[in-house]
């Protein structure tokens, strides 16, 4: 081998070791830096996508919650209070508010304010879009009205059909979105921001309150749904970031990491590689120097090997150009290896010993942890002071009971230090000084094993002391405040129970399962006549019963009537409730309640007064029942009298009015005769009005007036009423007029006949009390909303007027302003009373304004519904001309009524067959063909009701012949009786010709159509 200079060997060795190592380390560092930067950028994009997902999920949850609220039955029912409660129950996040608004922005529910407080108003910018599209909307950042805080709003429409009836909004504080970013994992070195569609920051993962409302840096350069950007954040720090645009809200979420954080791996690699490179250079230099020394000092190596071996330095086999040196070096290396193997065995033995010590230590730590957990779970405070006066052991409950700092106790203070802390806190302020000193030093001779003391805050502590084997003291402390309070409450309740039993109006015996009276109050002693000592001596129930029996308590009782007297075993086997009379006449009620554990509670009540009251009530009920029967009999007699009088008056009255009408229609009368016939007819109509008023008032008082609402024209009704009274006004030369106010409803729904009756009453009164001048009917209507109108009618006359002191007598039954014997005007005094009752039945009101000598104005107003369009379009048509004469069977026993009815019907063109009683009517129906039967009711022989039943039994088609009652019986119960017998309709006597003809033609036309 050719020898070379030492510097060549050293240089070659250093280059061989250092250059490859530096190249490899540089490559590894470059790859590591690139990978770390790529990881941080990928982490930024991942955090961005996750944050967007969390925000979209949160906003979607708010929309779903609002949509669920929009379907609430309370909202559909208009119950804002119940909807407010439901909304407040759904709000779980702090600062979130739910607002229900009308489409115009008026708030109806706001969970931020207490229910009932004044609510702010105002529309949101997205309201028109929500109402137009019907889709939910998510706003940008804005300042909330009233509070001024930065919020965003989620709004959904509330639909009823195709109409948006309300807007339901959830306002979310900006700080909430910073929390969402942090919950999504955005933490240092990353930061995140949420910006609305205008680029205004809503929330930030750090310093949300300071950032909210500021523009997002670089927002103008952001395009597309996702991407990357580099710039400076709000703090001016250069950052690398990613952005992601939310589809539902249009918001932009950015996640950034500072450029310094991206460059941190490079700095870290430099900081790591610099020592490595320096170390490698140093190693190379040392290796070179070592090789040089080996080359130059081969002999010295052998001399020093023995010394190295003695000091335990491991030796390697030397490789030198000198063979002998290598051989000696090999021997020394083998020796060194043997010594190291022995050293390794020794180290392994030491390691095993250390492992055993560590295992034992872990066991001790686990046992200590279990002991600590057990002590802390105790409901009692525990403290142990060792023989040296050091607090060795305490638990959590002790610190709570004495208001001590757990860290102070964990420091194992001395007894004196603990005493100073407690005395400073005033723990022994209310304690005897000597006893407090004994507590502080743990003097068991004074304290004993147990004592109680009260803390300054009122807590009562029970303390147990026990000496330890080492000379210390173990003390347990229990909070017995609740126990002492319960004991005091129990004593109070017992005192209340004793006072209640002593002052009860009932006697009480408490009998146990052995039959011993455990409790007997004063009232039982007094009520049962028992010895006073029974109050406390606890006698047997058998002895109590025996004492009562010996005293004659049950002297009047009989075993057959009181079966409990025969009980010989179970003295509590009496009925649960029974009564008995004592020898002094007192009636007592005995109640027995069995106890589940045996025995019973028996109570005794003095019911003597109650029995007396019950007998009085029974007597009063008997008297009231007799009075009721008498009143019902009187009412029945009145009804029967009314029916009889009505029939007896109407029957001849029909002849008077009918014949007068026939005379006037026949013509050929002289003026004097015509005037007489007209007066006869007027007198008959006046008498009929009296009869009708009496019957109408009777029906009104009995509550039997049924309204028949039908569409009608108010103007036509007024004209008709004025036409009816026109002859009376003309006879007195009075001007009669109708004034229709502009805006009168064309058609309304109401009982036209009853309204006509009221108008006729008022018009007739006006004509009656007006000697000269005019009578004017004013008619108007006022809209009430909801398709309803108030129909107002006023009848003004220029008559005699009414004195103010007599206005109060109007509208009262059987009352007139002129009540003297020499009244100038007739009447029953029922017309105005009937009118008032009818108007009030319709829900309206009636009144009068009058001045003596100037006339009067009677008015009424009733609320009526507006007629529907189809009803308003229908016009009342005049009856069609007679196409086919009807075949009428007239069943009437009165020749007068026969003549009148026949004349009216035949003048119209109908064919009339007359029979005089019900039996003839049945035969006539069987013998001939008829279209309708006019049936009188009260007839000799077979009456009309019986005849109707016989005709209905004939079978089809004769049994279905229309039968109309033509009778003076007009009371509602009588008409109902006729219909129940099979009659189809009713015409009352005296009948009007047009009414009779209309009824006959209606039923005969129906008969012809059926044929």
């Amino acid at each position: 081998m050719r020898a070379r200079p030492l510097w060549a060997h050293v240089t070659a060795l250093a280059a061989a070791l250092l250059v490859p190592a530096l190249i490899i380390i540089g490559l590894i560092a470059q790859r590591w830096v690139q990978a770390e930067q790529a990881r941080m950028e990928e982490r930024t994009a991942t955090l961005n996508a996750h944050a967007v997902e969390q925000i979209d999920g949160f906003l979607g949850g708010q929309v779903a919650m609002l949509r669920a609220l929009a379907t609430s039955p309370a909202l559909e029912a208009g119950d804002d209070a119940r909807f407010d409660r439901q909304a407040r129950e759904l709000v779980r996040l702090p600062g979130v508010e739910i607002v229900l608004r009308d489409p115009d922005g008026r708030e109806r529910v706001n969970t931020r304010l207490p229910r009932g407080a004044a609510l702010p108003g105002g529309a949101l910018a997205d309201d028109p879009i929500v109402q137009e599209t019907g889709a939910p909307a998510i706003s940008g950042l804005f300042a909330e009205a009233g509070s001024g805080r930065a919020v965003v709003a989620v709004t959904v429409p509330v639909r009823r059909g195709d109409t948006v009836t309300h807007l339901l909004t959830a306002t979310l504080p900006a700080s909430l979105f910073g929390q969402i970013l942090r919950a999504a994992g955005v933490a240092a070195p990353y930061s995140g921001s949420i910006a609305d569609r205008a680029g205004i920051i809503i929330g930030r993962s750090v310093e949300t309150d300071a950032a909210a409302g500021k523009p997002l840096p670089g927002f103008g350069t952001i395009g597309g749904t996702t991407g990357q950007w580099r710039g400076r954040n709000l703090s001016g720090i250069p950052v690398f970031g990613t952005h992601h645009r939310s589809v539902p809200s249009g918001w932009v979420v950015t996640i950034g990491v500072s450029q310094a954080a991206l460059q941190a791996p490079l700095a870290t690699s430099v900081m790591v590689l610099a020592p490595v490179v320096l170390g490698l250079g140093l190693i190379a230099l040392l290796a070179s120097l070592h090789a040089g020394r080996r080359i130059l000092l081969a002999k010295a190596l052998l001399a020093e090997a023995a010394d190295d071996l003695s000091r335990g330095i491991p030796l390697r086999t030397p490789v030198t150009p000198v063979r002998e040196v290598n051989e000696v070096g090999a021997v020394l290396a083998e020796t060194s290896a043997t010594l190291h193997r022995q050293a390794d065995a020794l180290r392994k033995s030491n390691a095993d010993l250390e492992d055993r010590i560590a295992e034992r230590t872990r066991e001790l730590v686990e046992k200590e942890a279990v002991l600590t957990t057990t002590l802390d779970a105790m409901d009692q405070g525990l403290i142990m002071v060792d023989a040296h006066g050091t607090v060795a052991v305490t638990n959590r409950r002790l610190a709570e009971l004495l208001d001590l700092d757990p860290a102070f106790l964990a420091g194992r203070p001395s007894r004196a230090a603990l005493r100073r802390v407690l005395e400073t806190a005033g723990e022994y302020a209310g304690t005897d000084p000597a006893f407090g000193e004994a507590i502080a030093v743990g003097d068991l001779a004074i304290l004993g094993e147990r004592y109680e003391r009260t803390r300054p805050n009122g807590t009562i502590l029970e303390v147990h002391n026990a000496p330890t084997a080492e000379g210390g003291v173990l003390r347990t402390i229990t909070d017995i405040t609740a126990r002492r309070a319960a004991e005091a409450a129990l004593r109070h309740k017992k005192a209340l129970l004793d006072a209640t039993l002593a002052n009860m109006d009932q006697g009480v015996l408490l009998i146990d399962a052995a039959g011993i009276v455990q409790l007997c109050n004063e009232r039982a002693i007094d009520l049962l006549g028992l010895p006073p000592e029974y109050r406390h001596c606890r006698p047997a129930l058998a002895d109590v019963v025996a004492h009562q029996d010996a005293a004659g308590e049950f002297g009047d009782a009989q075993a057959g009537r009181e079966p409990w007297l025969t009980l010989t075993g179970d003295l509590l086997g009496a009925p649960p409730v029974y009564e008995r009379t004592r020898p002094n006449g007192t009636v007592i009620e005995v109640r027995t309640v069995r106890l589940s554990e045996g025995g019973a509670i028996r109570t005794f009540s003095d019911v003597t007064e109650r029995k007396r009251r019950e007998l009085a009530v029974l007597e009063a009920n008997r008297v009231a029942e007799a009075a009721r029967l008498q009143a019902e009999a009187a009412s029945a007699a009145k009804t029967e009298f009314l029916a009889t009088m009505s029939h007896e008056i109407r029957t001849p009255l029909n002849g008077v009015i009918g014949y007068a009408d026939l005379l006037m229609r026949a013509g050929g009368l002289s003026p004097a005769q015509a005037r007489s016939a007209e007066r006869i007819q007027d007198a008959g109509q006046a008498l009929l009005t009296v009869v009708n008023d009496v019957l109408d008032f009777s029906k009104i008082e009995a509550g039997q007036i049924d309204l028949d609402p039908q569409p009608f024209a108010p103007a036509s009704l007024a004209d008709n009423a004025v036409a009816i009274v026109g002859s009376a006004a003309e006879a007195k030369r009075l001007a009669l007029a109708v004034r229709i106010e502009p805006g009168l409803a064309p058609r309304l729904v109401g009982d036209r006949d009853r309204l006509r009756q009221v108008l006729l009453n008022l018009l007739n009164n006006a004509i009656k009390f007006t000697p000269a001048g005019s009578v004017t009917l004013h008619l108007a209507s006022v809209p009430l909303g909801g398709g309803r109108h108030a129909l107002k009618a006023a009848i003004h006359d220029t008559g005699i007027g009414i004195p103010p002191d007599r206005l109060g007598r109007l509208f009262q039954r059987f009352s007139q302003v002129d009540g003297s014997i020499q009244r100038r005007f007739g009447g029953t005094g029922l017309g105005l009373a009937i009118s008032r009752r009818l108007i009030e039945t319709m829900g309206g009101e009636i009144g009068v304004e009058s001045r003596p000598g100037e006339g009067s104005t009677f008015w009424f107003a009733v609320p009526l519904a507006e007629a529907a369009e189809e009803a308003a379009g229908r016009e009342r048509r005049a009856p069609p001309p007679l196409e086919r004469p009807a075949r009428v069977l007239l069943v009437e026993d009165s020749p007068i009524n026969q003549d009148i009815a026949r004349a009216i019907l035949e003048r119209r063109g109908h064919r009339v067959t007359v029979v005089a009683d019900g039996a003839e009517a049945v035969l006539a129906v069987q013998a001939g063909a008829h279209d309708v039967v006019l049936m009188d009711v009260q007839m000799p022989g077979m009456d009309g009701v019986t005849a109707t039943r016989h005709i209905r039994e004939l079978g089809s088609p004769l049994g279905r012949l229309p039968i109309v009652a033509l009778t003076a019986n007009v009371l509602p119960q009588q008409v109902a009786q006729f219909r129940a017998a099979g009659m189809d309709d009713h015409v009352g006597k005296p009948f009007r010709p047009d009414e009779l003809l209309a009824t006959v033609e209606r039923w005969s036309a129906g008969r012809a159509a059926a044929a």
Side-chain angles (χ1 to χ4, degrees), residues 589-818:
E589 179 186 75
V590 184
R591 291 180 176 267
T592 303
V593 178
R594 291 282 190 151
L595 302 178
S596 59
E597 62 273 12
I601 296 176
R602 178 166 287 177
T603 61
F604 305 88
S605 303
D606 185 349
V607 296
T608 307
E609 180 62 23
R610 188 184 75 189
K611 285 296 181 183
R612 186 191 65 76
R613 289 196 301 268
E614 289 176 355
L615 291 175
V617 169
L618 290 175
E619 178 62 20
N621 289 340
R622 185 190 64 78
V623 173
E625 180 65 16
R628 185 185 64 81
L629 294 175
Q630 183 177 3
E632 290 178 353
S635 177
K638 182 188 76 172
T639 302
E640 181 64 25
F641 171 76
L642 267 177
T644 303
M645 291 303 297
S646 173
H647 183 273
E648 294 304 320
I649 294 174
R650 285 173 179 273
T651 299
L653 192 57
N654 186 55
V656 174
I657 298 175
Y659 277 122
D661 183 71
L662 291 177
L663 284 174
M664 296 178 67
R665 290 177 183 272
L669 298 177
S670 65
Q673 290 172 335
R675 187 166 56 254
S676 298
E678 183 179 354
R679 289 178 178 177
I680 291 172
Q681 191 177 40
D682 290 342
Q685 291 292 345
L687 182 57
L688 180 60
T689 300
V690 172
V691 175
N692 287 336
D693 284 351
V694 173
L695 292 179
D696 280 349
F697 192 77
S698 175
K699 288 188 288 185
I700 290 174
E701 282 197 325
Q704 296 174 341
I705 290 295
D706 294 325
L707 300 178
D708 181 23
Q710 296 292 336
F712 73 96
S716 176
L717 175 66
D719 292 339
N720 177 260
V722 169
I724 292 175
V725 299
S727 59
E730 184 179 354
K732 299 181 69 173
R733 299 182 181 276
L734 299 176
L736 184 61
V738 178
R739 297 287 185 267
I740 304 298
E741 299 295 334
L744 177 67
R747 293 187 68 81
L748 297 173
V749 178
D751 193 327
R752 177 179 51 198
D753 294 334
R754 294 299 182 184
L755 289 171
R756 180 190 292 113
Q757 182 178 356
V758 174
L759 284 174
L760 289 175
N761 272 331
L762 298 180
L763 287 169
N764 281 323
N765 279 349
I767 294 171
K768 181 191 304 183
F769 294 99
T770 303
S774 64
V775 174
T776 305
L777 169 59
H778 298 270
L779 198 63
S781 66
V782 177
L784 299 177
R788 295 179 65 80
H789 296 263
L791 179 63
K792 295 185 176 182
I795 293 88
H796 176 72
D797 62 62
T798 59
I800 62 175
I802 305 171
D805 59 343
R806 296 186 181 182
L807 288 176
R809 298 175 57 183
L810 294 176
F811 303 108
Q812 296 181 7
R813 58 181 182 175
F814 309 115
S815 175
Q816 290 186 335
V817 173
D818 184 8

Side-chain angles (χ1 to χ4, degrees), residues 895-907:
I896 297 175
N897 292 336
Q898 290 177 0
D899 291 345
I900 296 172
R902 181 196 291 271
I904 293 172
L905 293 170
E906 288 181 346
R907 186 171 60 233

